[in-house]
């Protein structure tokens, strides 16, 4: 049974329920009385474009539902029938909600939701207060007028929710059993409309979590605050209801965000903890919901840019998805926070959120493929360009995050993507750019040339239009030639040769300093490529090893140094006599030099102290200053190494293929197997052999190992070895003579 506006207006009062005072105007909707009507509402009830209920909406708010009473009121003419009339505010709200809820979601059909019981009772009360004021001269309206004081008395006796000092106290005081009862009643009244159930959950939580609301970003709390305060039982209720209402979650997320924004328009708005809890619970299970309408939220963010609290509330709500899914968090940051990074009131939270996001997700591989050159280079400019919209502290904070952003931008396969970054790197590397940015650009371009072979072809295409930038890059390659990978040196040969040909062609038509400098650098690089020089050091080392080996073999073959062929040759050629004469002269002159030093050293030492003492003291002071300077720079370097090493390790982990880790795991298992099955038994066997050998040695030395015994064993071993060598040599000689005799 549907109620319509007519000459005789009917209103319904739900006995035993508690109404919540609301200030905004809702769309007029039919109110269902009978059980058949509620069934019809469950199947045919729709959610209009302005279906964003207030924070206190509940399907049923107190213990038992009483009977319906129909009270006749005075006559009032109305042109509207069927409850279809809308005010201007309703139409405006309806149009705005439609833009986000319906037209901007082509991938899913809009789910229209029925109003809750609180909405219906509330609107009836508003119609009574606004439209049903009886004229004092009409005697027929005395009966309705006499029924009005009980209504006011009932409204005035409604208990206001208790305000708690902290949110922890509010969670402890929350009656989970009552919440379950209210949700069960809501599901009974609207069995086919899950959007009403979950809206009632949000309304109940927000009505009872009445602690003082803090700043909108909750930066001083953990990332999952306030959802982390929910107990095990309450969390189970929330998760269970969300699991049954999965189809209504996208619209419910929009509902929570819009309701929070609407509450911020009020001077004495209610706390928003209930909606925050629901947003975090929804995005924990389905973080992709936050990124389905990013363009619309960005448009909304720009429309309220002069209201920082609203902007931060939107950024906080969407950013909760990133704490459970890195890819969704990056999409939110790039789609919502990067466009407003230059806004003074929003930049601090945007960079703080990015830092918390990257520190929470140590494994960056899940964020690959989200960021490209279009998103990366604005971050590069913000991080290194001076005097931009960011303050110096925020710029330094963003610069610390830059290495991880660079890893995310290059992706899982930089060998296939870095050539797309080279044009933007090259165009920014002007001679007048800041030194820090220039070093970063040159390092990044060198990395592009080393990793992605296609970057060389891209550079050749851009060379003629970017001569000053190419001059800087060529100079950098020339200075760092010795540390460049051999693969890049080889690949650069063809590129430098093509640059030389291009320079010769352009010299006839263009005369510029940049062209001349590029030509000179190309010539120097070609000299570096071709001029390797003669390896004298290696040759001398080989000769020394050969001579030493020959002499050692000669001495060993002849038994002593005096009997060796080398000694006999030196003696016969007179080199030995000359060497002995030279050694005797060196000895004589050395003795004379030592005697002179003994006589004159004290005198010259005193003179040196007199002349060089002041200079030495100054040198010591400068040495101390240098030591302090070196110590400070060393400590800075150590700090830099400590900060950079985790990033390098993270970069290696993210860029190393999974097959390498598998191979390392297999190698580890192989080494463990070899250690347990071969190395340990071999060591035990070797130890046993050494013990036996030592025992035999002691037995051979009559129980006491001495030097004379060891000399005797060494002599016998040498003699036996020498005899074996002689026998082997004679046998080979005899075999060779027989072979030659047979051949002759």
């Amino acid at each position: 049974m549907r109620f319509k506006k007519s000459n005789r207006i009917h209103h319904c009062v739900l006995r035993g329920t508690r109404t919540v005072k609301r200030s905004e105007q809702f769309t007029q909707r039919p109110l269902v009385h009978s059980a058949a009507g509620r069934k019809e509402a469950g199947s045919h009830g729709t959610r209009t474009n302005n279906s964003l209920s207030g924070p206190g909406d509940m399907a049923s708010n107190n213990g038992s539902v009483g009977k319906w009473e129909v009270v006749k009121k005075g006559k009032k003419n109305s042109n509207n029938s069927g409850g279809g009339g809308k005010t201007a505010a309703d139409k405006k709200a309806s149009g705005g909600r439609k833009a986000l809820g319906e037209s901007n979601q082509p991938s899913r059909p809009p789910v229209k939701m029925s109003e809750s019981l609180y909405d219906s009772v509330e609107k009836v009360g508003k119609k009574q207060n606004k439209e049903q004021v009886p004229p004092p001269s009409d005697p027929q309206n005395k009966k309705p007028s006499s029924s009005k004081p009980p209504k006011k008395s009932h409204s005035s006796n409604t208990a206001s929710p208790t305000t708690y000092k902290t949110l922890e106290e509010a969670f402890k005081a929350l009656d989970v059993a009552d919440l379950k009862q209210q949700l069960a009643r809501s599901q009974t009244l609207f069995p086919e409309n899950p959007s009403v159930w979950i809206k009632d959950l949000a309304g109940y939580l927000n009505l009872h979590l009445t602690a003082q609301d803090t700043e909108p970003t909750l930066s001083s709390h953990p990332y999952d605050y306030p959802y982390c305060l929910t107990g095990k039982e309450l969390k189970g209720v929330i998760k269970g209801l969300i699991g049954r209402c999965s189809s209504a979650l996208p619209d419910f997320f929009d509902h929570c965000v819009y309701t929070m924004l609407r509450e911020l328009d009020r001077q004495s708005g209610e706390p928003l903890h209930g909606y925050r809890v629901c947003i975090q619970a929804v995005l924990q299970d389905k973080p992709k919901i936050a990124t389905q309408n990013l363009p619309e939220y960005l448009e909304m963010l720009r429309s309220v840019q002069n209201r920082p609290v609203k902007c931060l509330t939107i950024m906080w709500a969407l950013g909760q998805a990133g704490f459970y899914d890195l890819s969704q968090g990056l999409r939110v940051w790039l789609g919502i926070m990067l466009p407003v990074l230059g806004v003074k009131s929003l930049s601090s939270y945007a960079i703080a959120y990015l830092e918390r996001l990257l520190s929470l997700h140590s494994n960056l591989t899940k964020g690959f493929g989200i960021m490209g050159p279009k998103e990366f280079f604005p971050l590069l400019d913000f991080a290194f360009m001076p005097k931009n919209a960011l303050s110096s502290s925020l710029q330094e904070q963003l610069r610390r995050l830059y290495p991880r952003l660079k890893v995310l931008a290059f992706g899982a396969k930089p060998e296939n993507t870095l050539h797309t970054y080279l044009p933007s790197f090259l165009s920014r590397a002007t001679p007048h750019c800041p030194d820090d940015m220039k070093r970063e650009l040159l390092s990044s371009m060198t990395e592009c040339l080393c990793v992605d072979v296609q970057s060389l072809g891209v550079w050749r295409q851009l060379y003629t239009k970017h001569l000053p930038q190419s001059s800087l890059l060529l100079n950098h390659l020339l200075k760092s030639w010795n540390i460049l990978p051999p693969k890049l040196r080889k690949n650069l040969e063809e590129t430098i040769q093509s640059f030389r040909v291009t320079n010769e062609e352009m010299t006839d038509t263009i005369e510029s300093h940049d062209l001349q400098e590029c030509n000179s650098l190309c010539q120097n690089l070609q000299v570096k490529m071709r001029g390797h020089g003669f390896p004298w050091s290696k040759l001398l080392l080989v000769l020394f090893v050969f001579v030493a080996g020959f002499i050692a073999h000669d001495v060993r073959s002849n038994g002593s140094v005096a009997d060796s062929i080398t000694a006999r040759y030196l003696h016969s050629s007179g080199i030995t006599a000359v060497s002995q004469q030279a050694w005797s002269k060196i000895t004589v002159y050395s003795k004379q030099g030592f005697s002179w030093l003994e006589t004159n050293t004290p005198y010259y030492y005193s003179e040196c102290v007199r002349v060089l003492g002041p200079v030495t003291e100054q040198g010591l002071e400068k040495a101390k200053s240098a030591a302090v300077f070196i110590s400070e720079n060393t400590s800075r370097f150590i700090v830099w190494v400590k900060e950079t090493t985790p990033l390098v390790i993270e970069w290696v982990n993210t860029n190393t293929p999974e097959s390498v880790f598998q191979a390392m795991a297999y190698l580890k298992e192989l080494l463990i197997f070899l250690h347990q099955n071969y190395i340990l038994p071999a060591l035990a066997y070797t130890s046993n052999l050494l013990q036996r050998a030592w025992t035999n040695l002691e037995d051979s030395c009559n129980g006491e190992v001495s030097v004379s015994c060891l000399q005797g064993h060494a002599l016998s071993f040498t003699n036996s070895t020498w005899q074996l060598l002689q026998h082997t040599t004679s046998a080979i000689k005899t075999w060779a003579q027989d072979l030659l005799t047979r051949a002759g």
Side-chain angles (χ1 to χ4, degrees):
M1 176 178 177
R2 300 177 182 270
F3 281 81
K4 300 180 181 180
K5 280 188 178 182
S6 62
N7 293 333
R8 187 174 298 273
I9 301 175
H10 300 276
H11 70 280
C12 303
V13 179
L14 182 61
R15 293 182 178 176
T17 59
R18 182 179 62 187
T19 61
V20 181
K21 187 175 181 180
R22 303 284 299 273
S23 60
E24 62 270 10
Q25 182 71 24
F26 286 90
T27 306
Q28 188 173 354
R29 298 199 181 105
L31 183 63
V32 181
H33 291 267
S34 62
R38 290 196 298 270
K39 184 176 180 181
E40 182 183 359
S43 58
H44 301 288
T46 58
R47 175 188 177 186
T48 63
N49 294 331
N50 194 22
S51 59
L52 300 176
S53 301
D57 293 349
M58 289 290 297
S60 57
N61 195 32
N62 281 333
S64 61
V65 179
K67 299 180 181 180
W68 293 95
E69 290 186 0
V70 180
V71 182
K72 297 182 180 180
K73 303 296 291 182
K75 295 182 180 181
K76 185 172 180 180
N77 294 330
S78 176
N79 295 326
N80 298 330
S81 60
K86 291 186 180 182
T87 64
D90 292 334
K91 293 180 180 179
K92 182 178 180 181
S94 175
R97 186 68 188 93
K98 182 178 180 181
L100 183 63
E102 298 176 7
S103 62
N104 295 325
Q105 299 179 7
S107 60
R108 64 174 189 266
V111 180
K112 296 186 176 181
M113 303 171 62
S114 295
E115 60 184 1
S116 63
L117 286 179
Y118 259 171
D119 298 336
S120 304
V121 175
E122 214 171 1
K123 290 189 296 184
V124 170
K126 287 184 179 180
K127 288 192 290 182
Q128 177 184 3
N129 293 332
K130 295 179 66 176
E131 298 178 355
Q132 299 178 7
V133 179
S137 59
D138 191 357
Q140 296 179 354
N141 293 333
K142 291 182 179 180
K143 186 176 181 180
S145 299
S146 62
S147 64
K148 208 172 181 184
K151 178 66 179 180
K152 289 184 179 181
S153 175
H154 172 75
S155 176
S156 62
N157 293 331
T158 302
S160 60
T162 305
T163 301
Y164 300 94
K165 293 182 179 180
T166 62
L167 190 56
E168 289 81 356
E169 295 180 1
F171 271 105
K172 290 180 181 178
L174 186 66
D175 190 354
V176 181
D178 182 60
L179 173 62
K180 292 180 179 179
Q181 184 179 2
Q182 299 293 346
L183 293 178
R185 184 175 293 108
S186 177
Q187 295 173 35
T188 303
L189 293 174
F190 302 98
E192 298 180 5
N193 205 337
S195 57
V196 175
W197 313 343
I198 199 165
K199 282 177 61 179
D200 286 349
L201 170 67
Y204 187 94
L205 292 177
N206 206 68
L207 182 65
H208 290 80
L209 299 177
T210 53
Q212 184 64 32
D213 205 354
T214 58
E215 52 94 17
T217 62
L218 306 178
S219 301
S220 59
H221 298 283
Y223 71 92
D224 56 349
Y225 181 89
Y227 185 66
C228 61
L229 301 179
T230 58
K232 183 177 181 181
E233 185 179 6
L234 178 59
K235 192 172 293 185
V237 173
I238 296 174
K239 286 187 175 181
L241 186 62
I242 288 177
R244 294 193 299 271
C245 303
S246 58
S247 61
L249 292 182
D251 287 331
F252 174 66
F253 176 78
D254 296 342
H255 160 74
C256 291
V257 175
Y258 271 79
T259 307
M260 292 172 69
L261 297 179
R262 189 171 62 237
E263 289 297 327
L264 293 175
D265 287 331
R266 302 181 181 181
Q267 294 182 355
S268 58
E270 298 180 3
L272 305 175
H273 302 299
Y275 294 105
R276 292 181 185 273
V277 169
C278 291
I279 286 174
Q280 290 178 328
V282 169
L283 295 183
Q284 184 176 5
D285 292 338
K286 297 183 179 297
K288 292 184 179 180
I289 290 177
T291 58
Q292 292 180 356
N293 288 322
L294 286 182
E296 287 75 13
Y297 277 112
L298 178 59
E299 183 179 355
M300 182 195 307
L301 191 68
R302 287 173 173 167
S303 65
V304 294
Q305 191 168 331
N306 57 344
R307 299 285 303 276
V309 177
K310 280 193 171 185
C311 295
L312 293 173
T313 301
I314 297 173
M315 294 164 68
W316 178 91
L318 296 173
Q320 297 305 303
F323 299 136
Y324 308 104
D325 190 336
L326 176 60
S327 61
Q328 304 305 319
L330 289 175
R331 286 190 174 94
V332 169
W333 197 87
L334 296 174
I336 295 296
M337 302 186 191
L338 180 58
V340 297
L341 192 58
V343 180
K344 185 176 181 180
S345 58
L346 307 179
S347 301
S348 177
Y349 175 70
I351 296 180
Y353 171 80
L354 181 62
E355 184 175 14
R356 176 176 277 190
L357 181 68
L358 296 180
S359 62
L360 188 63
H361 299 279
S362 57
N363 185 12
L364 299 179
T365 55
K366 295 181 180 179
F368 287 163
I370 306 299
M371 188 185 304
K374 182 180 178 182
E375 296 83 12
F376 172 72
F377 285 103
L379 291 173
L380 174 66
D381 296 335
F382 272 117
F384 290 97
M385 284 297 292
K387 298 180 181 179
N388 56 29
L390 295 180
S391 62
S392 58
S393 60
L394 291 178
Q395 190 175 21
E396 184 64 27
Q397 188 178 1
L398 182 60
R399 195 175 295 186
R400 290 196 300 268
L401 301 175
Y402 174 78
R404 281 177 280 181
L405 295 173
K406 188 176 179 180
V407 172
L408 287 170
F410 288 173
K413 295 183 178 180
E415 63 275 7
N416 297 332
T417 58
L418 286 186
H419 67 277
T420 61
Y421 290 83
L422 184 66
S424 298
F425 281 131
L426 188 63
S427 63
R428 284 169 168 78
T430 59
H432 305 291
C433 71
D435 293 337
D436 293 340
M437 188 173 185
K438 187 183 297 184
R439 284 192 293 270
E440 172 59 30
L441 292 173
L442 292 174
S443 173
S444 300
M445 286 189 288
T446 305
E447 184 178 359
C448 292
L449 297 176
C450 292
V451 177
D452 193 351
V453 183
Q454 302 178 58
S455 301
L456 294 170
V458 175
W459 187 19
R460 287 196 293 267
Q461 296 175 3
L462 301 173
Y463 176 72
T464 56
K465 295 182 180 179
H466 297 82
L467 287 176
Q469 295 88 337
S470 298
S471 174
L472 283 177
L473 182 54
L474 289 170
N475 188 28
H476 176 72
L477 294 175
L478 181 62
K479 290 181 179 179
S480 58
W481 181 261
N482 294 329
I483 60 175
L484 292 179
K487 183 179 179 181
L488 178 60
R489 295 183 193 178
K490 184 177 180 181
N491 294 333
L492 277 174
E493 294 181 1
E494 182 180 354
T495 302
I496 300 301
Q497 181 61 33
S498 67
F499 287 167
R500 288 290 305 276
V501 175
T502 304
N503 293 337
E504 293 176 0
E505 294 176 353
M506 295 176 63
T507 304
D508 300 334
T509 57
I510 301 175
E511 292 184 2
S512 65
H513 174 72
D514 296 327
L515 182 60
Q516 295 176 1
E517 189 173 359
C518 288
N519 194 21
S520 175
L521 291 170
C522 289
Q523 292 178 0
N524 294 334
L525 281 171
Q526 286 187 331
V527 171
K528 284 273 189 182
M529 294 173 186
R530 298 169 183 172
H532 299 291
F534 191 80
W536 291 105
S537 59
K538 295 181 179 179
L539 178 62
L540 292 175
L541 180 63
V542 170
L543 289 176
F544 176 76
V545 172
F546 177 75
V547 171
F550 176 77
I551 293 173
H553 181 272
D554 186 20
V555 172
R556 181 179 177 81
S557 300
N558 294 279
S560 64
V561 177
D563 297 335
S564 63
I565 298 174
T566 304
R568 290 199 300 267
Y569 175 77
L570 293 175
H571 183 73
S572 62
S573 62
I575 296 176
T576 303
V578 173
S579 301
Q580 291 176 352
Q581 185 180 1
W583 179 252
S584 63
K585 288 183 179 181
I586 290 173
T587 304
V588 172
Y589 290 134
S590 298
K591 291 180 179 180
Q592 293 178 358
F594 280 119
S595 64
W596 184 87
L597 288 173
E598 290 176 355
T599 305
N600 296 287
T601 296
Y603 171 76
Y604 287 109
Y605 176 76
S606 62
E607 288 295 319
C608 288
V609 170
R610 183 180 62 83
V611 175
L612 300 177
V615 178
T616 305
E617 291 179 356
Q618 293 179 0
L620 289 175
E621 293 295 331
K622 291 183 178 179
K624 291 179 180 178
S625 302
V628 172
F629 176 78
I630 292 173
S631 176
E632 292 176 354
N633 285 275
T634 304
S635 61
R636 292 177 184 175
F637 177 74
I638 292 173
V639 172
W640 179 81
V641 169
K642 289 181 179 178
E643 294 177 353
T644 309
T645 302
L647 300 177
V648 173
I649 295 174
E650 183 178 0
W651 182 86
V652 171
N653 291 332
T654 54
N655 289 274
T656 304
E658 190 65 23
S659 57
V660 176
F661 292 107
Q662 294 178 357
M664 293 176 64
Y666 295 150
L667 180 61
K668 180 180 178 181
E669 294 178 359
L670 177 62
L671 292 176
I672 293 173
F673 176 79
L674 293 176
H675 181 264
Q676 294 178 351
N677 295 278
Y678 293 97
I679 296 177
L680 292 179
L683 290 175
Y685 181 74
T686 304
S687 176
N688 191 15
L689 286 179
L690 291 176
Q691 289 179 356
R692 291 181 183 178
W694 181 255
T695 303
N696 294 332
L697 181 62
E698 287 180 342
D699 295 337
S700 63
C701 293
N702 297 323
E704 183 179 358
V705 180
S706 61
V707 177
S708 59
C709 180
L710 293 177
Q711 288 179 349
H713 282 294
L715 183 61
S716 62
F717 176 78
T718 303
N719 292 333
S720 60
T721 303
W722 181 250
Q723 291 176 2
L724 178 62
L725 183 62
Q726 286 180 342
H727 292 324
T728 305
T729 305
S730 61
I732 293 174
K733 183 178 179 181
T734 303
W735 174 78
Q737 289 178 353
D738 294 338
L739 187 63
L740 292 174
T741 303
R742 293 175 184 175

